[in-house]
Structure formats: structure tokens, C-alpha cells
Amino acid sequence: MAKKHQTPMLDELEKGPWPSFVTDIKRMAETGKDACADLLGQLELSYKDKEGHWKHGGIVGVLGYGGGVIGRYSDVPDLFPGVEHFHTVRVNQPAAKYYHSESIRKIMDIWNRRGSGMLNMHGSTGDIIMLGAFTDELENIFAELTSLGWDLGGSGSALRTPSSCLGQSRCEFACINAEDICYDLTQSYQDELHRPAWPYKFKFKVDGCPNCCVASLARSDCAIIGTWRDDIRIDKAAVAAYAAGEFAANGGAHGQDVKLDIQKDVCDLCPTQCMAWDGKTLSINNKECTRCMHCINMMPRALRPGKDTGASILVGAKAPILDGAQMGSVIVPFIKMEPPYEEFKEFVEKMWEWWDENGKNRERIGETIQRLGLGTFLAAVEVEPDPRHVKEPRSNPYVFYKEDEVPGGFDRKIEDYRKRHAR
Amino acid sequence: MAERLTDIGPPKYDLFWPQVIKDNAGKWLYHDILEPGVLLHVSETGAKIWSVRCGTTRLMTTMMVEDICKLADQFCDGHFRFTTRNNVEFLVVDESKLEPLKKALKAAGNLPIGGTGASITNIVHTQGWVHCHTPAIDASGVVKAVMDDLFEYFGSHKMPAQVRISLACCLNMCGAVHCSDIAILGVHRKPPVIEHTHLDKMCEIPTTIASCPTAAIKPAKVDDFKSVAVNADRCMFCGNCYTMCPAMPLADADGDGIALWVGGKVSNSKSMPKFSKLAVPFIPNEPPRWPTTVKMVRQIVEAYVAGANRYERLGEWAERIGWERFFEKTGLEFTHHHIDDYRFAATTWRTSTQFKW
């Protein structure tokens, strides 16, 4: 008979309309998966204690890799032996997380035979997360995964698994081939991904447009965000159709009945006020446009990004630990992103070299840039300063001039000064 | 050891695409959300693809994946994908299969349709007590309780704009919740309790000292054990010391709980991307259904729905009416904890006589 613990508190989470993870785990436990029964048992204990019951870390892994597996042990293994070891296996997802049932069933089969059957679809960085393996299964899991064409993702002070939005595969806004960039970076930097050698973690995320659906500018050390340099493309007939109420506003995001008031909903909400509507013609002063996407979001059938596309590169985003949360800062305002992405990779490698040399232990690149200055970083990656790098010029008057910037340098004699000025 | 495959990377992104995507990638012309949860994409070639979006629990079993596979086999030739917000999308090429798929999803009961447009879509979250060693709260349970309460908004387009809720179970923020419309964040409130008898064996003392961002940790000798002391007045409960040193746990049933943050966004649309700001500093852990958290999230959502203009994100609404008005409209209390006192504190203080009574 399948193992079962009493879980009166977790049972409360089987109620209500949203899918219940408890119901799902229970049915897996009923198939004889003791790990699932014990996971629920230990979670019930945490609900009672209001404290977690996992030990701190533990170094486990597969041969030749410095990451991809995170050790996890129960701190109450006598009560819940099925989760005594409950290691995480990070499996690198295909970019944009497209699957076919036939293929994913094969890796689910590995996980049913060799692991707990518990997963995250997906982890925060993007990997398929297999939750709950015993140490002696890790090599077998890895061998079976690779034989089917899958590999581990990143962990520790390494390149973390890059992720992207679905880009051009199913989105008309995508200005760059987000999935191809993601895949290319993942393949080009396998060593950096699997063998931690840096001050701390480093994340790439690729967003096809400035709507930033994968939150690259908040969540990645290096955000690659699709954009364009020429004019927004206008379909005049479709503009007229929007004006006539034939199409729903905002791609139907508010219901098919909500129509567009082009003046009020598009022009008046444009942050640069670069659009004009006279009741017949929509005109855009593209030179003043900051490509925020609002008008395109509102009228996807009438407006499209331009054709001279590339990416803006923002560096340094991270969550609060340690020096507080940061968003990415613009470093490269525009770069063409065509395979094999050599210009971009040259930039990346300069950036990594500087960080590797200057970053302190457990310092994200955004913090290193903050500590040593954006100007220092720009010089290191050989990018010329540009007003696009700042929201506003400094208001602080303390400028760190370098000696070679000042005629005659810093070396002066007080005797000379005193010849001109009495003490 | 036999031939060992390493560093092969993931399957290529286009391997699992349906044929219509292989044929139309880069050619999509526009999209239209036909109803909550159902997207239509139309290509320059006239080709169409329908995507039916459903919420999932993120934490799931292989049996749940099999449920998804079966539906995909039946209606989508096996094709589906996941979104960055833990939703699954069934990719339908044959329009005649759309209604039967929706019917089958409703019958299945564990894959609610929605999460598009001006909805409250699925919550991005972390592991919590299910699998993490540093959490202050559970994740999956809180998400379940909040989504049960907000369920009507997942499958409808009743919000002024999209609402992105995220949860992270400690300040490490694996969920990177710092730019969300509403962020549910696990916080500790007690300094680490130090296991002096084992610290020197389990931790490197200099690294532990260096890990503290406020320099609150110093070396100390306690009962002949080499250990550390923590200046409690300087501790901001970030937990970075515990990450470096297992002999300094922070977790505590009374100390730990939830803070709510509001008004962040990552999109560049209209206004600049924004950080989330503190709305509620602390709510105690209330397993199994976290009623106070659920109630306060709803309070914020309802005030936003009542007050915001269409297309206005939560943070844009709060900035337009002013934060003094935000607290009035939501009925949330403003306390001394809302005033920042860390590195960038001064940038958030009011330096103008412009404010509302």
C-alpha cells in the first residue's frame, strides 16, 4: 500500500478553483512514490512549525560539471526518509519552452524511474527543474538525459541558463531572433555555463522588443532587448479600421467590445507626444519616438516596428542581495544582432574579462559597475560615453579628473605657488 | 567510463515547433485575443495559429505533464509550450479543434483558461518550504490561496491593464519580484541565531564577516569557541550571512512573514520600468491559507480597479494619484517602515511642497 501521512493543513489547499499542487502530489504519492508522500509529510510539518525543513546546501554533482545539480537534504530524514536526499537537477530548456509530447515524455520517463517525479515547469531562470533525486542516481540521470539530447543548466558562480521570449516564432513585435540568440549564446558558452569560474552568477535574457516579457532589464546581468532605428510602419487602411471601431483595442486585451479612441488612447498616452491624429491620418514624428511600444501594443494590426532592427544592451540588473535591487543600465544603445553575433560576443568577452578581474567574491557585475563607476566600465568595454547612457547628467560636482586630463598634470611645487601668493 | 556526452546544450529551439511556426516564424503580422485565454496569431501568408493559455501550478508532477501531453496529442498534434509565467499554451493549428480543446480543458478542471490581456495572470514564484533552505514563507501554498481568491480575474479581462503578481520566499528573490505590479515577499525579522559550538567547523569566519552588507558581523570568542557576534542594531535580516554560513540560521516562526510591494513593471511601454514599492511591511505567516495576505492583496487590487484609468498599470495609477492617496484608497497603514533607510534612501524622500492633503 502506498505511503501516506496525515496532512490536515495541506488538505485545506485542495479547496478552491485554482489548480491544487497538493492534489497533484497526492495522486503521485498514491502510485507508490514515497518521495511524494514524504514531501507532503515534511511540508505539513513546515506548515505546523512555520519554518522550512531543508538543510543548508550540500555539494553534489555530475562528473566534469561544476553546477547544474543543487544538493538538498531533509533535516528530519528519520521522519521522511523518501526525501532524505532531494537534490535538484536543472535541465536546460529549449529556448521559449516549446515542447512536443513525444520528446518530453521520454525525459519524464527518466524522472519517474530515477527521481521523485516532482518538477517545476519551470524554474525562475528558465530551466526545467527536476526536484528530488538521490545522490547515487545523478550520473545515471545525466547519462540518460544527454543520450536523448538534453543537457544540464547553470548554477553557482557561472553563466546561468540563458532564456528568451518566444520572439519571432509567434510574435509580430519581435525585432530580433530572440530564440536564436539565446540558443547561440547557450551553445557558444557551454564551458562558462557548466564550470563556475566567476565572482558570482551571470544571466543573459533576450527580449524581442521593449515590452520585455522575460523581464530581461530587471532580471539579467546582460539584457538583450530588440529595438529599431527607422520608422514605425503604418498600415493606413488598418488605422482607418481602428478609427471605425472594426478592430478591438490593444489586440483584444480588454475584450473584443473595447474599441480604440486613437486620440485619447494612443496619441495622448504617448510619452513623447510624437503622434498626431486629425481624424483621418495618423502621423508619427519618428525622430522623437522612444520606441516604448505603447502605440504598437494598442494597434497591432496597424502599426509595426521598423525594419532596421537590432538590440539595446542593458547591463547590471539583479535582485536585492547585496547592495539593493538594480535594473540594467544602457551600455550599448544599438547593436545589430545577426548570426553569428560576433560583434556582440566581442562585447560580452570584454565585459566578462573586466568583471573577472575586478569583481569581488559574490559581487554581481551591476555591483562592480556601481562600485567602480559606469565611466570605468564603459572604458573597459570600449564604448564611448553618450547621453543615452544616463537619465540625466550628474548633479554632483565632485568629478574624478585623471591627471592626464589636466594640462601640466598634478605635479606642482608649493614654492612656485608661494611666489605668487603670500602665506 | 564509456563515451560520455557533455556540453551538448539544450535541444534547438525549433525542434519542437509545429509546422505552421516553422513556416511563418518572422512573418507574423498581428495577434488578437479572441476571448480570455485564447490568442490568434495571423501571418503575412494568411496562416493562423490559435494558442489556448492555461494556468498551471509550476510545482507539478510528471502525471500533470502527462495530462498536458494527452491534451496536446488530442488537439495539437502533441505541440505545446510554457510561458515565462508558468502558464501552458496549447498550440492549435486546426480551428475545428479549438472548441473541443476548451471543452476538454474545462472537463479536466486542473488547467484553467485565462491569463491573457488585462487579467491577473499566473503568479511567478519560488520554492518556499517545498524545497528551499532559506525561505521565510511557503511559496506554492500562498500562491494557491491568493489565486483562489483572484480566480475571477484570471479568466477575464476586467483589470485596467495587465497585473503581474510575483512571489519570492526570501530577500534572495530567486523570483526577482522587485519589478512586479504586486510582489509577495518572504521576510525575516530576527537576526541570525548563532551556533557557536559549530560555526568554526562549518564556516569560514572571514568570508562570513565579509558577507554582511552593513558590517554587523565581527569575530568573537564564545566559551573558547572561535565564532562571530552580530550587532543586532545593524542587522537588516537579508540572510546573506546564512547563505555563506549554515551556523547562522534566521528562520523563526514568529519572526518570519510576508511583506507586500506594489507598482513595479518591466515593460518600457508608456512609463519607464519601475521598482515595486513597499505597501505592507509585515503580515505573519498564516498557513495553510494566509487569510490576511489574501485579504490585503485583494484590497490593493480592488482599489486599483476602482481608481485606475484603462491602460494604466498599478504603478502608473499610484504615481498619478500620489502615494499619499494610494494609502488612503487602499486603506493600508503607512508606518515608519515605509521610509527607506538604506543606501539609496534619500532618493525616495519628498523634496517638494507638492503633495496632497
Side-chain angles (χ1 to χ4, degrees), chain A residues 9 12-13 15-19 21 24 27-28 39 43 46-47 49-52 54-56 63 65 72 86 88 92-101 103-105 108 111-112 117-124 131 139 142 146 149-151 166 168-170 172 179-180 183 186-187 190 194-195 210-215 217-219 249 251-256 258 265 271 292 294 297-298 300-301 304 318-323 325-327 362 370, chain B residues 4-13 16-17 21 25-26 28-34 41 44 51 55-67 69-70 73 77-82 84 86 89 91 110 112 117-118 122 127 129-133 138 140-141 144 147-148 151 154 157 160 171-176 178-179 211 213 238 240 242-244 246 251-253 266-270 273-275 285 287-290 310-311 342-344:
Chain A
M9 291 178 95
E12 291 298 310
L13 291 171
K15 300 170 183 169
W18 189 253
F21 67 98
D24 186 29
R27 66 174 170 164
M28 192 83 193
L39 180 66
L43 187 60
S46 291
Y47 272 48
D49 292 349
K50 300 185 191 179
E51 289 175 4
W54 298 103
K55 284 188 189 176
H56 192 294
L63 198 66
Y65 279 30
R72 187 67 75 230
F86 208 67
T88 304
N92 198 145
Q93 82 288 1
K97 306 180 180 86
Y98 282 91
Y99 298 103
H100 190 274
S101 56
S103 166
I104 204 164
R105 275 194 181 108
M108 293 301 121
W111 193 232
N112 280 331
M118 292 303 312
L119 304 150
N120 288 143
M121 298 298 282
H122 295 75
S124 294
L131 289 174
E139 274 297 336
F142 177 69
T146 49
W150 298 76
D151 201 348
L166 50 57
Q168 294 172 337
S169 70
R170 206 205 56 198
E172 70 273 22
E179 291 151 293
D180 192 61
Y183 182 70
T186 307
Q187 298 302 100
Q190 283 286 301
H194 290 137
R195 287 158 205 98
N211 279 329
C212 287
C213 291
V214 289
L217 63 74
R219 302 183 66 163
H254 305 263
Q256 286 292 321
V258 176
D265 300 335
C292 86
H294 173 67
N297 290 336
M298 298 308 286
R301 297 177 75 153
R304 305 176 77 182
K318 55 179 278 293
I321 303 292
L322 264 185
D323 271 344
Q326 281 177 238
M327 288 191 223
R362 279 171 57 78
Q370 242 193 69
Chain B
R4 198 164 172 277
L5 282 175
T6 64
D7 300 287
I8 59 172
K12 192 160 180 247
Y13 52 91
F16 305 129
W17 283 355
I21 288 187
W28 297 104
L29 194 57
Y30 68 88
H31 75 278
D32 200 10
I33 308 174
L34 303 177
H41 286 81
E44 285 167 358
S51 306
T56 79
T57 51
R58 184 181 106 125
L59 173 67
M60 66 177 74
T61 66
T62 51
M63 293 174 84
M64 185 69 223
V65 176
E66 180 56 32
D67 284 355
C69 286
K70 277 196 186 114
D73 282 344
D77 300 321
H79 293 286
F80 61 97
R81 67 174 294 269
F82 281 85
T84 54
N86 311 324
E89 287 179 346
L91 304 169
N110 56 359
N122 203 351
Q127 305 287 19
W129 293 332
V130 166
H131 199 243
C132 184
H133 65 297
D138 187 33
S140 302
K144 162 73 175 147
M147 285 310 286
D148 274 341
F151 190 71
F154 178 78
H157 289 156
L171 270 62
N172 277 324
M173 283 196 198
C174 300
H178 53 288
C179 295
S211 74
C238 72
N240 201 46
Y242 182 59
T243 298
M244 299 311 287
D252 185 274
V266 293
S267 161
N268 289 277
S269 176
K270 302 195 295 293
K274 301 175 199 300
F275 286 122
N285 261 320
R289 295 204 58 104
W290 282 267
R310 180 168 281 151
Y311 311 125
Y342 191 45
R343 300 251 156 99
F344 310 117

Side-chain angles (χ1 to χ4, degrees), chain B residues 219-233:
Chain B
K221 201 160 200 188
V222 181
D223 299 333
D224 286 338
F225 291 108
K226 274 207 278 180
S227 184
V228 299
V230 174
N231 178 349
D233 288 343

Side-chain angles (χ1 to χ4, degrees), chain A residues 86-91 107-108 110-111 116 118-120 127-133 141 145, chain B residues 131:
Chain A
F86 208 67
H87 308 320
T88 304
V89 181
R90 289 186 180 163
V91 181
I107 60 172
M108 293 301 121
I110 302 174
W111 193 232
S116 73
M118 292 303 312
L119 304 150
N120 288 143
D127 303 275
I128 298 172
I129 307 287
M130 295 177 160
L131 289 174
I141 292 167
L145 281 171
Chain B
H131 199 243

Side-chain angles (χ1 to χ4, degrees), chain A residues 175-176 227-229 306-311 334-338:
Chain A
C175 299
I176 49 176
T227 192
W228 66 95
R229 287 188 294 198
K307 285 180 160 174
D308 181 15
T309 56
F334 188 87
I335 185 168
K336 278 293 202 188
M337 290 300 280
E338 307 292 343

Side-chain angles (χ1 to χ4, degrees), chain A residues 78-281:
Chain A
D78 295 343
L79 295 176
F80 308 109
V83 294
E84 180 181 0
H85 298 198
F86 208 67
H87 308 320
T88 304
V89 181
R90 289 186 180 163
V91 181
N92 198 145
Q93 82 288 1
K97 306 180 180 86
Y98 282 91
Y99 298 103
H100 190 274
S101 56
E102 192 187 332
S103 166
I104 204 164
R105 275 194 181 108
K106 288 183 190 158
I107 60 172
M108 293 301 121
D109 173 60
I110 302 174
W111 193 232
N112 280 331
R113 286 185 285 107
R114 301 199 177 272
S116 73
M118 292 303 312
L119 304 150
N120 288 143
M121 298 298 282
H122 295 75
S124 294
T125 300
D127 303 275
I128 298 172
I129 307 287
M130 295 177 160
L131 289 174
F134 273 70
T135 306
D136 56 8
E137 286 290 359
L138 293 171
E139 274 297 336
N140 295 327
I141 292 167
F142 177 69
E144 289 201 31
L145 281 171
T146 49
S147 74
L148 292 173
W150 298 76
D151 201 348
L152 301 185
S155 70
S157 294
L159 176 63
R160 297 301 183 87
T161 307
S163 75
S164 74
C165 69
L166 50 57
Q168 294 172 337
S169 70
R170 206 205 56 198
C171 183
E172 70 273 22
F173 296 161
C175 299
I176 49 176
N177 192 341
E179 291 151 293
D180 192 61
I181 295 165
C182 180
Y183 182 70
D184 188 288
L185 293 172
T186 307
Q187 298 302 100
S188 299
Y189 297 119
Q190 283 286 301
D191 193 37
E192 286 79 358
L193 207 155
H194 290 137
R195 287 158 205 98
W198 285 333
Y200 204 10
K201 64 183 94 167
F202 191 97
K203 300 186 181 184
F204 283 119
K205 288 192 191 293
V206 194
D207 270 310
C209 84
N211 279 329
C212 287
C213 291
V214 289
S216 61
L217 63 74
R219 302 183 66 163
S220 62
D221 300 272
C222 182
I224 302 150
I225 304 174
T227 192
W228 66 95
R229 287 188 294 198
D230 53 346
D231 294 352
I232 291 175
R233 287 176 282 167
I234 304 180
D235 177 338
K236 285 180 183 160
V239 172
Y242 274 107
E246 289 168 28
F247 299 149
N250 201 5
H254 305 263
Q256 286 292 321
D257 297 338
V258 176
K259 306 300 182 189
L260 203 59
D261 177 334
I262 294 178
Q263 182 61 46
K264 178 168 163 276
D265 300 335
V266 182
C267 299
D268 291 354
L269 295 179
C270 168
T272 62
Q273 296 290 297
C274 71
M275 306 182 76
W277 168 244
D278 64 6
K280 276 189 186 153
T281 308

